[in-house]
Amino acid sequence: MQSSTEVAPVEAERLQRIREAAFRIRTNALIQAEVQGQGYIGQALDLADVLAVLYADQLNLRPEEPEWEGRDRCLLSIGHYAIALYAALTEAKFLPAEELDTYATDDSRLPMSAMASYTPGVEISGGSLGHGLVIANGVALGLKRKDNDAFVYNILSDGELNEGSTWEAAAVAAHHELDNLIAIVDFNDQQADGKSQATLGMEPIEGKFEAFGWITRRVDGNDVAAVLTALEELRGLDAPQPRCLIVNTKLGKGVEFLENREKLHFMSVAPQEWERAHRELKESFDA
């Protein structure tokens, strides 16, 4: 039987601090998207609560020393979620807020798909999907061999589960007992060709990871308290197994008219709609 570390109730002040961080991450994602007028906006809004828990609470980082050996590593396998990551790195003080206005412009450190060689705090370069968990295995194994207690978090998408390399990596992680690895699957049921479940259904995701030897949990990814409690529990487990948190999220979360867009994977927002987007985001936060 696996043992666990009991997770104490979360203080209201701590939750409020994380919720405020999530609001700023969403706001900063919109600021970047407005530079180009389009992008992977829905994904950035849906993942903001998870990123706020990580970058405003859970990750052990030194923004003034991005390459610090003792840092936790957060690997964004889904490189096209870059505006979400840049917003989170701004929240964590890796980037100045004024730099967000340069997103995807010439000579910017913020390319459209996240790249480690450009941006402080970005651990891997994104692009073709299915590589993140493979790289996370290598990082987690390397840390173990160095007797480094840091954790590796790998954020991947539900569509990325269609890649065979993801499941090869899942098998490798369990074989090497990578208990310093936490995969976070963003289940928003959307990919380029339509609904993820209609394209190639992967449910039950928990059962599949468990069959490969992982410990899994599943929560509402837009519930800060649930995400925080689950991640603290998974990190505190005393079991020689990798861990996976599946988060159910809503594309465009916090901006109602974007939540209801028909085309959600890559969306365009008209110039006159940005003010409305910021207004609805503020209204949803204040509600």
Side-chain angles (χ1 to χ4, degrees):
M1 179 182 296
Q2 69 192 37
S3 60
S4 63
T5 301
E6 184 176 348
V7 179
V10 183
E11 306 89 346
E13 294 83 359
R14 185 180 178 195
L15 283 178
Q16 183 61 20
R17 176 175 54 81
I18 298 171
R19 290 187 180 114
E20 289 172 357
F23 171 72
R24 288 190 294 269
I25 289 171
R26 287 189 169 96
T27 297
N28 285 331
L30 288 178
I31 288 170
Q32 294 171 85
E34 189 172 359
V35 174
Q36 297 295 329
Q38 59 186 357
Y40 299 99
I41 305 165
Q43 293 89 335
L45 295 173
D46 86 48
L47 196 63
D49 297 300
V50 174
L51 290 172
V53 171
L54 289 170
Y55 282 90
D57 191 274
Q58 287 292 289
L59 297 177
N60 187 18
L61 301 168
R62 290 180 181 175
E64 73 283 358
E65 191 180 350
E67 300 297 322
W68 173 49
E69 186 66 15
R71 73 190 185 281
D72 290 328
R73 276 72 167 174
C74 185
L75 280 58
L76 183 72
S77 184
I78 30 183
H80 60 282
Y81 280 48
I83 60 172
L85 180 58
Y86 301 152
L89 290 171
T90 300
E91 181 65 25
K93 309 303 182 187
F94 282 82
L95 298 169
E98 55 270 20
E99 192 167 354
L100 298 176
D101 290 328
T102 73
Y103 168 69
T105 60
D106 291 346
D107 299 322
S108 173
R109 294 194 300 173
L110 311 179
M112 186 169 286
S113 188
M115 299 178 69
S117 56
Y118 281 75
T119 317
V122 174
E123 296 285 353
I124 62 171
S125 296
S128 298
L129 300 181
H131 297 165
L133 193 57
V134 178
I135 298 170
N137 280 348
V139 176
L141 187 59
L143 289 172
K144 277 186 164 295
R145 290 183 175 177
K146 292 179 179 179
D147 293 321
N148 187 321
D149 292 332
F151 262 71
V152 179
Y153 295 79
N154 178 220
I155 304 174
L156 59 156
S157 65
D158 53 352
E160 208 166 357
L161 301 183
N162 295 168
E163 299 284 354
S165 54
T166 297
W167 298 106
E168 293 177 68
V172 169
H175 174 78
H176 288 287
E177 299 183 345
L178 298 181
D179 55 0
N180 59 340
L181 172 61
I182 300 177
I184 302 173
V185 179
D186 179 23
F187 186 84
N188 55 31
D189 197 24
Q190 182 70 44
Q191 53 184 280
D193 293 330
K195 294 288 187 182
S196 297
Q197 285 301 103
T199 303
L200 179 58
M202 298 304 295
E203 294 282 23
I205 298 172
E206 303 100 301
K208 288 181 172 61
F209 272 97
E210 287 166 1
F212 276 86
W214 290 56
I215 298 168
T216 67
R217 298 290 185 270
R218 189 167 191 160
V219 300
D220 178 351
N222 297 128
D223 181 336
V224 164
V227 173
L228 176 60
T229 300
L231 284 176
E232 289 204 322
E233 180 196 1
L234 289 173
R235 183 159 180 156
L237 289 172
D238 181 18
Q241 296 166 265
R243 300 95 198 267
C244 177
L245 176 64
I246 301 107
V247 291
N248 297 327
T249 60
K250 186 174 182 60
L251 280 153
K253 179 67 177 178
V255 180
E256 186 175 4
F257 81 94
L258 295 182
E259 292 177 11
N260 296 318
R261 280 279 162 93
E262 182 179 353
K263 294 184 178 180
L264 290 168
H265 182 71
F266 185 92
M267 64 172 69
S268 296
V269 177
Q272 69 274 14
E273 291 181 316
W274 290 105
E275 183 180 347
R276 179 184 175 189
H278 283 282
R279 184 177 68 253
E280 288 192 6
L281 181 59
K282 183 67 165 59
E283 289 170 352
S284 68
F285 176 71
D286 291 337

